Amino acid sequence: MDRRGFGGLVTDGQWERLLASALPRMFAAGDTLLRQGEVGRGVHLMVSGRAKVVSFRADGSCVPLAFRACGEMLGESSLAGDRPRSATVTALSPSSTAFLPAERFQRLLAELGLEPVLWRSALMRQDEGDRIRVRQTSLPAERRLPAALLHLASVMGEPMPAPVSDGDAPAPHGCLLRIPLAQREIAEFAGMSRTSVHNAYTSLRERGVIRTGRQYVAILDLAALEALAGEDETV
Protein backbone atom coordinates (compact mmCIF):
# COMPACT_ATOMS: atom_id res chain seq x y z
CA MET A 1 0.00 0.00 0.00
CA ASP A 2 1.30 3.45 -0.89
CA ARG A 3 2.13 5.68 2.06
CA ARG A 4 1.34 9.38 2.17
CA GLY A 5 2.66 12.32 4.18
CA PHE A 6 5.34 11.52 6.75
CA GLY A 7 5.23 7.82 5.92
CA GLY A 8 5.84 8.54 2.25
CA LEU A 9 9.10 10.33 3.10
CA VAL A 10 10.74 7.47 5.01
CA THR A 11 12.19 4.21 3.77
CA ASP A 12 10.40 0.89 4.21
CA GLY A 13 12.99 -0.09 6.82
CA GLN A 14 12.49 3.11 8.82
CA TRP A 15 8.72 2.72 8.66
CA GLU A 16 8.90 -0.87 9.91
CA ARG A 17 11.22 0.21 12.73
CA LEU A 18 8.70 2.84 13.84
CA LEU A 19 5.81 0.36 13.71
CA ALA A 20 7.78 -2.24 15.65
CA SER A 21 8.25 0.26 18.49
CA ALA A 22 4.59 1.34 18.56
CA LEU A 23 1.36 0.15 20.11
CA PRO A 24 -1.18 -1.08 17.52
CA ARG A 25 -4.61 0.53 17.73
CA MET A 26 -7.77 -0.50 15.87
CA PHE A 27 -10.74 1.74 15.09
CA ALA A 28 -14.15 1.07 13.58
CA ALA A 29 -15.76 3.52 11.17
CA GLY A 30 -17.03 6.46 13.20
CA ASP A 31 -14.60 5.98 16.10
CA THR A 32 -12.70 9.00 17.39
CA LEU A 33 -8.91 8.74 17.15
CA LEU A 34 -8.14 12.17 18.62
CA ARG A 35 -10.45 14.66 20.29
CA GLN A 36 -10.26 18.43 20.04
CA GLY A 37 -9.33 20.07 23.35
CA GLU A 38 -7.72 17.01 24.92
CA VAL A 39 -4.04 17.17 25.82
CA GLY A 40 -1.99 15.09 23.41
CA ARG A 41 0.39 12.44 24.75
CA GLY A 42 1.71 11.00 21.52
CA VAL A 43 1.30 10.49 17.79
CA HIS A 44 -0.57 7.99 15.65
CA LEU A 45 0.87 6.73 12.37
CA MET A 46 -1.91 5.59 10.06
CA VAL A 47 -1.32 2.02 8.93
CA SER A 48 -4.62 1.43 7.12
CA GLY A 49 -7.99 3.04 6.55
CA ARG A 50 -9.10 6.64 6.11
CA ALA A 51 -9.88 9.44 8.55
CA LYS A 52 -11.22 12.98 8.53
CA VAL A 53 -9.91 15.92 10.53
CA VAL A 54 -12.53 18.42 11.70
CA SER A 55 -12.62 21.53 13.85
CA PHE A 56 -15.64 22.20 16.07
CA ARG A 57 -17.01 25.71 16.29
CA ALA A 58 -18.45 27.31 19.41
CA ASP A 59 -22.00 26.61 18.13
CA GLY A 60 -21.25 22.88 17.91
CA SER A 61 -20.99 22.70 14.11
CA CYS A 62 -17.86 21.22 12.59
CA VAL A 63 -15.70 22.13 9.61
CA PRO A 64 -13.77 19.43 7.72
CA LEU A 65 -10.12 20.50 7.55
CA ALA A 66 -8.38 17.53 5.93
CA PHE A 67 -8.52 13.83 5.14
CA ARG A 68 -5.85 11.30 6.02
CA ALA A 69 -4.79 7.87 4.77
CA CYS A 70 -1.99 5.31 5.17
CA GLY A 71 1.35 6.83 6.19
CA GLU A 72 -0.02 10.05 7.64
CA MET A 73 0.92 11.24 11.11
CA LEU A 74 -1.84 12.32 13.49
CA GLY A 75 -1.46 14.36 16.67
CA GLU A 76 2.00 15.75 16.02
CA SER A 77 1.20 18.84 18.14
CA SER A 78 1.92 16.63 21.18
CA LEU A 79 5.60 16.83 20.24
CA ALA A 80 5.56 20.49 21.30
CA GLY A 81 4.51 19.71 24.90
CA ASP A 82 1.23 19.45 26.79
CA ARG A 83 -0.87 21.32 24.25
CA PRO A 84 -4.58 20.65 23.71
CA ARG A 85 -5.53 19.06 20.41
CA SER A 86 -6.67 21.64 17.88
CA ALA A 87 -8.94 19.24 15.95
CA THR A 88 -10.87 15.99 16.16
CA VAL A 89 -9.92 13.01 13.99
CA THR A 90 -12.57 10.40 13.18
CA ALA A 91 -12.23 7.15 11.26
CA LEU A 92 -14.14 7.11 7.97
CA SER A 93 -13.59 3.37 7.57
CA PRO A 94 -12.18 0.52 9.65
CA SER A 95 -8.67 1.80 10.37
CA SER A 96 -5.52 0.87 12.22
CA THR A 97 -2.75 3.06 13.60
CA ALA A 98 0.57 2.67 15.37
CA PHE A 99 0.66 4.82 18.53
CA LEU A 100 3.93 6.18 19.86
CA PRO A 101 4.22 8.24 23.07
CA ALA A 102 5.80 11.61 22.29
CA GLU A 103 9.12 10.94 24.03
CA ARG A 104 9.56 7.53 22.39
CA PHE A 105 8.74 8.95 18.96
CA GLN A 106 11.22 11.82 19.38
CA ARG A 107 13.91 9.36 20.49
CA LEU A 108 13.30 7.20 17.43
CA LEU A 109 13.42 10.24 15.15
CA ALA A 110 16.87 11.04 16.53
CA GLU A 111 18.10 7.44 16.27
CA LEU A 112 16.91 7.12 12.67
CA GLY A 113 18.00 10.62 11.63
CA LEU A 114 14.43 11.59 10.74
CA GLU A 115 14.19 15.07 12.27
CA PRO A 116 14.54 16.72 8.81
CA VAL A 117 11.76 14.44 7.53
CA LEU A 118 9.48 15.62 10.33
CA TRP A 119 10.06 19.25 9.31
CA ARG A 120 9.51 18.42 5.66
CA SER A 121 6.21 16.69 6.41
CA ALA A 122 5.13 19.71 8.48
CA LEU A 123 5.85 22.01 5.53
CA MET A 124 3.87 19.69 3.25
CA ARG A 125 0.91 19.93 5.65
CA GLN A 126 1.17 23.71 5.68
CA ASP A 127 1.26 23.82 1.88
CA GLU A 128 -1.78 21.52 1.70
CA GLY A 129 -3.70 23.75 4.11
CA ASP A 130 -2.77 26.86 2.14
CA ARG A 131 -3.98 25.31 -1.13
CA ILE A 132 -7.27 24.27 0.47
CA ARG A 133 -7.87 27.79 1.82
CA VAL A 134 -7.05 29.34 -1.56
CA ARG A 135 -9.49 26.97 -3.25
CA GLN A 136 -12.24 27.78 -0.75
CA THR A 137 -11.88 31.54 -1.08
CA SER A 138 -10.36 32.35 -4.47
CA LEU A 139 -11.59 29.86 -7.06
CA PRO A 140 -14.74 30.69 -9.04
CA ALA A 141 -17.74 28.87 -7.56
CA GLU A 142 -18.10 26.49 -10.52
CA ARG A 143 -14.54 25.19 -10.03
CA ARG A 144 -14.67 24.57 -6.28
CA LEU A 145 -16.47 21.22 -6.17
CA PRO A 146 -14.38 19.69 -9.00
CA ALA A 147 -11.22 20.89 -7.22
CA ALA A 148 -12.40 19.50 -3.87
CA LEU A 149 -13.24 16.12 -5.44
CA LEU A 150 -9.82 16.00 -7.10
CA HIS A 151 -8.15 16.64 -3.76
CA LEU A 152 -10.17 13.84 -2.14
CA ALA A 153 -9.29 11.57 -5.04
CA SER A 154 -5.58 12.27 -4.53
CA VAL A 155 -5.88 11.32 -0.83
CA MET A 156 -8.46 8.53 -0.79
CA GLY A 157 -9.25 7.53 -4.36
CA GLU A 158 -9.41 3.83 -5.24
CA PRO A 159 -8.68 2.80 -8.85
CA MET A 160 -11.69 1.75 -10.92
CA PRO A 161 -11.55 -0.72 -13.81
CA ALA A 162 -11.22 1.16 -17.09
CA PRO A 163 -14.36 1.01 -19.27
CA VAL A 164 -14.21 -0.43 -22.73
CA SER A 165 -12.99 2.28 -25.12
CA ASP A 166 -15.13 3.43 -28.01
CA GLY A 167 -13.16 2.73 -31.16
CA ASP A 168 -9.80 4.49 -31.19
CA ALA A 169 -10.71 6.90 -28.38
CA PRO A 170 -8.85 6.20 -25.12
CA ALA A 171 -11.02 5.07 -22.23
CA PRO A 172 -11.41 7.70 -19.49
CA HIS A 173 -9.52 7.12 -16.25
CA GLY A 174 -11.61 7.11 -13.07
CA CYS A 175 -11.53 6.36 -9.37
CA LEU A 176 -13.89 5.61 -6.51
CA LEU A 177 -14.29 7.74 -3.39
CA ARG A 178 -15.81 5.89 -0.46
CA ILE A 179 -16.69 9.01 1.51
CA PRO A 180 -19.55 8.83 4.04
CA LEU A 181 -19.83 12.63 4.10
CA ALA A 182 -23.02 14.65 4.12
CA GLN A 183 -23.42 17.35 1.46
CA ARG A 184 -23.09 19.88 4.29
CA GLU A 185 -19.57 18.59 5.04
CA ILE A 186 -18.60 18.61 1.37
CA ALA A 187 -19.99 22.16 1.12
CA GLU A 188 -17.86 23.29 4.08
CA PHE A 189 -14.75 21.63 2.67
CA ALA A 190 -15.27 23.10 -0.81
CA GLY A 191 -16.21 26.56 0.49
CA MET A 192 -19.71 26.44 -1.01
CA SER A 193 -23.33 26.56 0.09
CA ARG A 194 -25.29 23.31 0.30
CA THR A 195 -27.53 24.46 -2.55
CA SER A 196 -24.49 25.20 -4.73
CA VAL A 197 -23.01 21.76 -3.97
CA HIS A 198 -26.32 20.07 -4.85
CA ASN A 199 -26.47 21.93 -8.17
CA ALA A 200 -22.81 21.23 -8.92
CA TYR A 201 -23.26 17.50 -8.25
CA THR A 202 -26.28 17.48 -10.57
CA SER A 203 -24.28 19.20 -13.32
CA LEU A 204 -21.35 16.78 -12.99
CA ARG A 205 -23.69 13.77 -13.11
CA GLU A 206 -25.45 15.12 -16.21
CA ARG A 207 -22.08 15.58 -17.93
CA GLY A 208 -21.17 11.97 -17.14
CA VAL A 209 -18.16 13.03 -15.06
CA ILE A 210 -19.30 11.44 -11.80
CA ARG A 211 -21.82 8.96 -10.45
CA THR A 212 -23.04 9.24 -6.87
CA GLY A 213 -24.62 6.79 -4.48
CA ARG A 214 -25.04 6.23 -0.79
CA GLN A 215 -21.65 6.97 0.80
CA TYR A 216 -19.66 7.01 -2.42
CA VAL A 217 -18.74 9.18 -5.38
CA ALA A 218 -17.45 7.47 -8.52
CA ILE A 219 -15.32 9.80 -10.63
CA LEU A 220 -15.83 8.40 -14.12
CA ASP A 221 -13.53 10.80 -15.99
CA LEU A 222 -10.66 12.34 -14.01
CA ALA A 223 -9.35 14.26 -17.02
CA ALA A 224 -12.72 15.96 -17.48
CA LEU A 225 -12.87 16.79 -13.77
CA GLU A 226 -9.35 18.28 -13.93
CA ALA A 227 -10.39 20.44 -16.87
CA LEU A 228 -13.44 21.71 -14.97
CA ALA A 229 -11.35 22.42 -11.87
CA GLY A 230 -8.60 24.14 -13.85
CA GLU A 231 -6.09 22.71 -11.37
CA ASP A 232 -3.21 20.23 -11.45
CA GLU A 233 -4.54 17.87 -8.77
CA THR A 234 -3.89 14.38 -10.08
CA VAL A 235 -4.25 10.96 -8.47
Side-chain angles (χ1 to χ4, degrees):
M1 179 181 294
D2 291 337
R3 298 191 299 270
R4 295 180 51 81
F6 174 81
L9 300 175
V10 304
T11 66
D12 290 344
Q14 291 167 334
W15 181 253
E16 292 301 326
R17 173 75 182 280
L18 291 168
L19 298 191
S21 302
L23 301 171
R25 299 281 177 84
M26 305 295 292
F27 300 91
D31 284 353
T32 298
L33 284 71
L34 304 174
R35 195 178 305 278
Q36 183 174 330
E38 291 183 347
V39 175
R41 302 300 183 189
V43 301
H44 290 262
L45 301 177
M46 287 202 68
V47 178
S48 66
R50 300 178 299 278
K52 66 176 177 179
V53 184
V54 304
S55 177
F56 284 93
R57 297 173 171 146
D59 63 3
S61 62
C62 68
V63 180
L65 302 177
F67 297 86
R68 303 295 180 220
C70 176
E72 297 278 9
M73 182 191 307
L74 306 172
E76 60 269 30
S77 63
S78 64
L79 302 178
D82 293 336
R83 299 176 55 186
R85 307 281 193 194
S86 60
T88 290
V89 182
T90 305
L92 286 171
S93 66
S95 303
S96 63
T97 70
F99 177 77
L100 287 150
E103 290 185 2
R104 183 186 304 173
F105 184 64
Q106 290 172 316
R107 185 171 65 250
L108 284 166
L109 290 179
E111 291 176 4
L112 298 172
L114 293 177
E115 292 99 332
V117 174
L118 180 65
W119 283 107
R120 185 179 172 191
S121 67
L123 291 174
M124 289 169 57
R125 285 277 180 89
Q126 181 178 333
D127 179 65
E128 178 191 30
D130 289 345
R131 286 188 288 110
I132 289 172
R133 284 188 290 274
V134 167
R135 185 190 68 229
Q136 292 172 335
T137 59
S138 302
L139 282 183
E142 67 273 10
R143 290 170 53 188
R144 292 184 186 182
L145 182 62
L149 291 176
L150 282 175
H151 176 79
L152 292 173
S154 72
V155 177
M156 302 187 295
E158 302 174 18
M160 290 174 56
V164 178
S165 61
D166 183 14
D168 296 330
H173 173 49
C175 74
L176 179 65
L177 293 174
R178 300 183 191 274
I179 47 174
L181 298 173
Q183 282 197 7
R184 175 190 58 76
E185 293 178 288
I186 292 291
E188 292 276 11
F189 187 65
M192 303 170 67
S193 69
R194 292 172 67 178
T195 299
S196 296
V197 166
H198 174 78
N199 293 338
Y201 267 133
T202 299
S203 176
L204 291 174
R205 284 194 296 263
E206 290 175 347
R207 292 173 182 233
V209 177
I210 66 171
R211 183 175 67 248
T212 59
R214 186 176 182 182
Q215 299 191 339
Y216 81 87
V217 175
I219 300 174
L220 306 177
D221 192 337
L222 275 167
L225 196 64
E226 289 164 7
L228 290 169
E231 288 190 355
D232 185 19
E233 292 244 24
T234 56
V235 177

